[in-house]
Amino acid sequence: MNPINDPMTWQGRLPWPGAEAHKHARGRLGVVSGGALSTGAARLAARAGLRIGAGLVKLFCPPDAAPVLAPTLEAVMLASFVSGDQLAELAQPMDAVVIGPAAGLTDATAANVAALARTGAALVIDADALTLFRDRPGDLFACLDRDDVLTPHEGEFERLFPGLLAKGREAAAIEAAERVGCVVVLKGSATVIAAPDGRCVVNGNGAPWLATAGSGDVLAGMIGGLLAQHMDSFDAACAAVWMHADAAGRFGPGLIAEDLPGLIPGVLAGLYPG
Ligand SMILES: NC(=O)C1=CN([C@@H]2O[C@H](COP(=O)(O)OP(=O)(O)OC[C@H]3O[C@@H](n4cnc5c(N)ncnc54)[C@H](OP(=O)(O)O)[C@@H]3O)[C@@H](O)[C@H]2O)[C@@H](O)CC1
Ligand SMILES: Nc1ncnc2c1ncn2[C@@H]1O[C@H](COP(=O)(O)OP(=O)(O)O)[C@@H](O)[C@H]1O
């Protein structure tokens, strides 16, 4: 049995802006959007990344999505790309990038993952960017390094690591993290967070209100927002998972994913040492 995800273990390493902070110094987060009919998930992730403290958040979208996204955005910035190479160019200045939420199960998404892996950004790989590699998981694993974070639910985990869940969720997450060489967040009512060096914790403040469409997209943005602020990937995953659940618990019945980013300031205030 691995330890419970205890804020005491990461609270002291949460990133807070110093007096001399400016937005670029706080950390830049990119989020890749799907096409015109699939922009909501990336917007949820982007807003969450901004709320958790990334100084600048930019959505990267295919050209058809730009006129859909532009009228919906305020603080979140926007740029469009036509190829993986162009996405990599846009992502080059980013400290972290989230890809997967409603990205599309397409060759273009696979090419975008490979292109992002060529940048220095830490990656959060979620949803479609996991599922699309079900028949060729090695192609995804070749793109990863130890700063990156995979965020599968059990269905997505089984697609990448067939049969591994039979060992139990904790053992499965630990073995998966060792295999891929990055942090694995196996989501569920008791989310397991495992690092390639064998660290593993189980989240204990899970709230069933999170069982609602889009809540995983918000979590991906929260992890990305902490990675963008140069938090260690395992700490970032642990902190985001706990804060995500704490936010849901504060709201309770009726929660929808759109509510979560606006609850982050209250959660942060409870952790702020100042
Ligand atoms: N606002 C937006 O725009 C949103 C957009 N979204 C985007 O939509 C796209 C498709 O999303 P999706 O939900 O259809 O895909 P996925 O979650 O793979 O489910 C497929 C099947 O997997 C299975 N399954 C097994 N275990 C499971 C588990 N623990 N949790 C969940 N499922 C589990 C289950 O099979 P079943 O149990 O029904 O047999 C299920 O039917 C994707 O791009 C996503 O990012 C969403 O994020 C929502 C908000
Ligand atoms: N019963 C539950 N108790 C606690 N957390 C849950 C429960 N069900 C889902 N969650 C959390 O909600 C999120 C759902 O993410 P995901 O399945 O990726 O949804 P989506 O793709 O709709 O965003 C995960 O963080 C998961 O841990």
Side-chain angles (χ1 to χ4, degrees):
M1 182 69 185
N2 290 286
I4 290 290
N5 181 17
D6 181 350
M8 293 290 284
T9 62
W10 43 257
Q11 191 172 353
R13 291 186 294 282
L14 282 172
W16 303 108
E20 304 302 320
H22 60 80
K23 64 189 177 190
H24 293 279
R26 284 188 79 182
R28 307 177 184 109
L29 174 66
V31 179
V32 180
S33 173
L37 297 181
S38 310
T39 63
R43 274 187 277 143
L44 287 169
R47 194 170 185 85
L50 202 53
R51 279 287 189 200
I52 209 159
L56 180 159
V57 179
K58 192 176 270 193
L59 279 166
F60 302 129
C61 69
D64 70 314
V68 177
L69 278 164
T72 70
L73 302 176
E74 289 153 347
V76 172
M77 300 160 77
L78 180 63
S80 70
F81 64 93
V82 293
S83 66
D85 284 345
Q86 199 181 1
L87 173 62
E89 212 172 290
L90 290 169
Q92 200 58 52
M94 298 292 147
D95 299 290
V97 177
V98 176
I99 181 165
L105 298 172
T106 62
D107 288 344
T109 302
N112 292 340
V113 171
L116 291 172
R118 297 196 293 273
T119 72
L123 304 181
V124 180
I125 314 261
D126 186 39
D128 289 346
L130 300 167
T131 295
L132 79 89
F133 290 101
R134 65 188 310 163
D135 297 322
R136 45 181 173 134
D139 288 1
L140 171 62
F141 302 162
C143 291
L144 303 172
D145 67 39
R146 58 185 312 106
D147 291 340
D148 300 333
V149 180
L150 302 186
T151 55
H153 59 52
E154 281 192 13
E156 290 155 347
F157 189 93
E158 178 63 25
R159 290 165 207 156
L160 290 180
F161 307 100
L164 197 51
L165 281 168
K167 295 189 173 182
R169 285 171 52 85
E170 294 174 46
I174 291 169
E175 188 170 328
E178 279 169 5
R179 272 195 216 171
V180 300
C182 75
V183 171
V184 172
V185 175
L186 173 54
K187 296 183 293 193
S189 56
T191 292
V192 181
I193 303 125
D197 60 7
R199 285 176 291 171
C200 179
V201 297
V202 181
N203 200 54
N205 68 337
W209 316 115
L210 285 172
T212 181
S215 66
D217 306 326
V218 173
L219 177 65
M222 293 174 73
I223 297 171
L226 291 175
L227 290 179
Q229 295 171 83
H230 301 293
M231 199 172 186
D232 162 79
S233 299
F234 181 73
D235 284 340
C238 292
V241 166
W242 188 92
M243 287 193 256
H244 183 242
D246 190 57
R250 285 165 186 251
F251 191 98
L255 178 85
I256 60 172
E258 282 91 331
D259 298 317
L260 286 166
L263 294 161
I264 294 171
V267 176
L268 286 172
L271 295 165
Y272 187 50

